[in-house]
Amino acid sequence: MNLRDKLKAIERPKVKITVTETAPAEKPAFTDCWRTETTHQPSCYPLRRETVMLMQGEDMPECFQEEKILYLDTETTGLAGAGTVAFEVGLGWLAADGFHVRQLVMRDYPEEKFLLEEIIRVAEGFDVICTFNGKTFDLPLLRNRFIMNRIRTDVLDKPHIDLLHIARRVWKLRLRKCNMTNLEEALLGIPRVDDLPGAMVPERFFSYLKTGDFHLLDDVLEHNEQDIVSLQNLLCHMCCMYENPEQLRFDEDVYSMGVALDRFRHTEEARRCYRLAGGAMHAQGQQRLAASYRKSGERQEAAAVWQEMIRLREGGVTPYIELAKHYEHQEKDIPAALDMVRRAISMMSEPTLFDEASVQDTRNALQYRYDRLKRKLEGRRNE
């Protein structure tokens, strides 16, 4: 056997390898978003168009019906930015058998289109949208997502009741923070237990995308469902308080409601609140009431309020100054005006080391007014 035959003998046998082509994995078919619907016991206080307009300061549909209000709240992947998406949307409405809450979830980004289309289908049947900070956040976000998905946005162009702005105008003075949780506890007496903090919502969604465990969104859905139910309860509660301000337990709330009504030029309703404001807010309420009378030209009514404030020793030197102006310019009674200024100066005659600059400015203004009125009175005597 030669060398070549020996090499062939020890050569490894060739193994024939058969390659089987594997078909690519099929992509999941995205044909709809996930949804669920529950029914709740609604607040039964009737909503009136006039009352909503008092609170909102904006016009409402002529044929205003509480069954035509769509309550809306979103849960998103972040707070702002072009990439922020509403991955869950809660929709609520009042029906004959109770308050319905429908929740929509996109299980992956391709389902966003179906979620948005469902919002349109539901919203088309309603005349008014009610949210909590929706003017600033929810609706601009949804409108942006509609545009990104080439979907029409006109369905969102409806009269809008934003409860956050209403709440801030009335309850911020007392509560300071007017988030949903604070309002639920302070106004409705419903504290939340084991509620998912809003800051954790995006994290839950991204964890779900990584793991596929839909139960990670259970707390998100529960949080959103409670928000929708609370929207309806809060709106009814606010309407009740605006129609019955005497039922408000706290003077800060009554006074703030008066200021809010004044802002929207609901004069008589505002005056009603100013008269009801008592305790620590009584003096401020009376000042606002007198200013309202003066603005509308009801000078005698304003003077009567200032006189009552002096009798009750309220408002510091303000009622004296206002009455001095009234006596000088309206009644042309210079001695009475001079007496008011003299009494105001007497109240501020005890300076301290800690007086603010504004206090000294008031003293200077009073002295200037006193000197001017005295010259004016002497001039009349010399005529």
Side-chain angles (χ1 to χ4, degrees):
M1 180 180 294
N2 58 28
L3 180 61
R4 180 178 295 177
D5 293 334
K6 291 179 180 180
L7 290 174
K8 286 183 178 180
I10 63 175
E11 189 180 37
R12 291 183 179 180
K14 294 181 180 180
V15 179
K16 185 177 181 182
I17 301 175
T18 303
V19 178
T20 303
E21 293 187 2
T22 304
E26 292 185 5
K27 294 182 179 180
F30 298 105
T31 59
D32 202 354
C33 63
W34 182 91
R35 68 192 70 195
T36 186
E37 188 165 322
T38 55
T39 305
H40 302 259
Q41 184 67 33
S43 174
C44 296
Y45 192 84
L47 303 180
R48 299 193 308 119
R49 175 175 181 265
E50 295 76 12
T51 307
V52 174
M53 290 171 61
L54 282 179
M55 301 189 304
Q56 184 75 358
E58 298 177 10
D59 198 14
M60 287 288 126
E62 287 291 338
C63 299
F64 181 85
Q65 296 176 300
E66 51 190 322
E67 295 83 3
K68 290 294 185 178
I69 300 175
L70 178 65
Y71 300 86
L72 182 148
D73 185 59
T74 65
E75 305 300 335
T76 67
T77 58
L79 294 179
T84 302
V85 175
F87 70 87
E88 194 273 342
V89 177
L91 305 169
W93 62 88
L94 189 65
D97 59 340
F99 185 73
H100 289 245
V101 176
R102 181 177 298 175
Q103 295 176 282
L104 313 173
V105 177
M106 67 170 207
R107 291 162 292 192
D108 206 340
Y109 287 95
E111 290 191 353
E112 181 188 20
K113 178 182 178 182
F114 305 111
L115 182 148
L116 298 176
E117 289 175 345
E118 177 65 12
I119 294 174
I120 288 181
R121 279 192 290 271
V122 175
E124 284 179 333
F126 295 89
D127 299 332
V128 179
I129 295 176
C130 179
T131 68
F132 193 86
N133 197 31
K135 284 187 175 181
T136 304
F137 186 75
D138 299 83
L139 292 197
L141 171 64
L142 287 176
R143 188 172 279 109
N144 180 59
R145 299 314 303 174
F146 283 158
I147 293 172
M148 295 291 288
N149 284 271
R150 298 183 179 181
I151 299 174
R152 61 189 181 90
T153 65
D154 60 313
V155 72
L156 300 178
D157 299 332
K158 302 176 184 291
H160 187 176
I161 304 171
D162 193 325
L163 297 187
L164 175 62
H165 299 288
I166 298 172
R168 280 178 175 170
R169 286 191 287 266
V170 178
W171 285 281
K172 186 177 181 180
L173 181 62
R174 177 170 64 89
L175 299 180
R176 301 292 186 264
K177 291 179 65 176
C178 287
N179 56 35
M180 179 73 82
T181 303
N182 277 8
L183 292 172
E184 286 174 342
E185 186 166 358
L187 306 184
L188 305 178
I190 307 174
R192 291 205 185 189
V193 180
D194 299 328
D195 184 49
L196 179 69
M200 292 184 62
V201 170
E203 178 187 336
R204 285 297 184 88
F205 178 68
F206 292 127
S207 296
Y208 154 69
L209 288 182
K210 291 177 182 178
T211 64
D213 184 3
F214 196 81
H215 290 296
L216 289 170
L217 300 182
D218 288 348
D219 288 347
V220 177
L221 291 167
E222 184 178 345
H223 172 88
N224 177 262
E225 183 178 10
Q226 181 60 52
D227 282 350
I228 294 293
V229 173
S230 291
L231 282 176
Q232 199 262 341
N233 289 330
L234 282 172
L235 177 57
C236 291
H237 179 84
M238 291 176 181
C239 284
C240 178
M241 293 299 97
Y242 264 85
E243 292 178 2
N244 306 279
E246 63 279 354
Q247 293 184 8
L248 288 166
R249 294 173 51 201
F250 299 93
D251 295 310
E252 297 93 334
D253 301 347
V254 183
Y255 171 79
S256 297
M257 185 178 291
V259 175
L261 288 164
D262 233 348
R263 175 182 176 182
F264 295 132
R265 299 181 182 179
H266 301 301
T267 304
E268 289 306 318
E269 292 84 356
R271 290 175 180 176
R272 178 186 179 189
C273 292
Y274 293 147
R275 295 188 192 100
L276 288 169
M281 305 307 300
H282 186 264
Q284 294 184 53
Q286 293 301 294
Q287 288 182 22
R288 286 270 187 174
L289 179 61
S292 176
Y293 282 132
R294 182 185 59 191
K295 185 177 180 180
S296 63
E298 299 171 82
R299 305 285 181 174
Q300 294 303 321
E301 288 79 0
V305 175
W306 290 320
Q307 289 165 354
E308 181 65 10
M309 291 179 69
I310 290 174
R311 187 185 72 80
L312 297 174
R313 299 181 180 180
E314 289 183 336
V317 297
T318 299
Y320 293 94
I321 296 172
E322 295 298 339
L323 276 174
K325 296 176 184 178
H326 173 76
Y327 288 139
E328 178 184 3
H329 301 295
Q330 302 302 318
E331 300 191 9
K332 311 300 181 184
D333 189 342
I334 303 303
L338 195 60
D339 179 59
M340 288 293 111
V341 178
R342 185 184 296 112
R343 292 169 66 180
I345 291 174
S346 178
M347 287 184 66
M348 303 189 71
S349 62
E350 296 295 334
T352 69
L353 294 175
F354 305 102
D355 285 342
E356 296 180 0
S358 60
V359 175
Q360 188 58 48
D361 290 343
T362 302
R363 287 197 187 97
N364 295 339
L366 284 169
Q367 189 62 50
Y368 176 81
R369 184 180 294 275
Y370 179 81
D371 295 338
R372 181 178 59 77
L373 286 170
K374 198 169 184 181
R375 291 193 302 269
K376 193 172 184 178
L377 182 61
E378 291 173 354
R380 285 188 178 183
R381 289 172 179 172
N382 295 330
E383 289 180 356

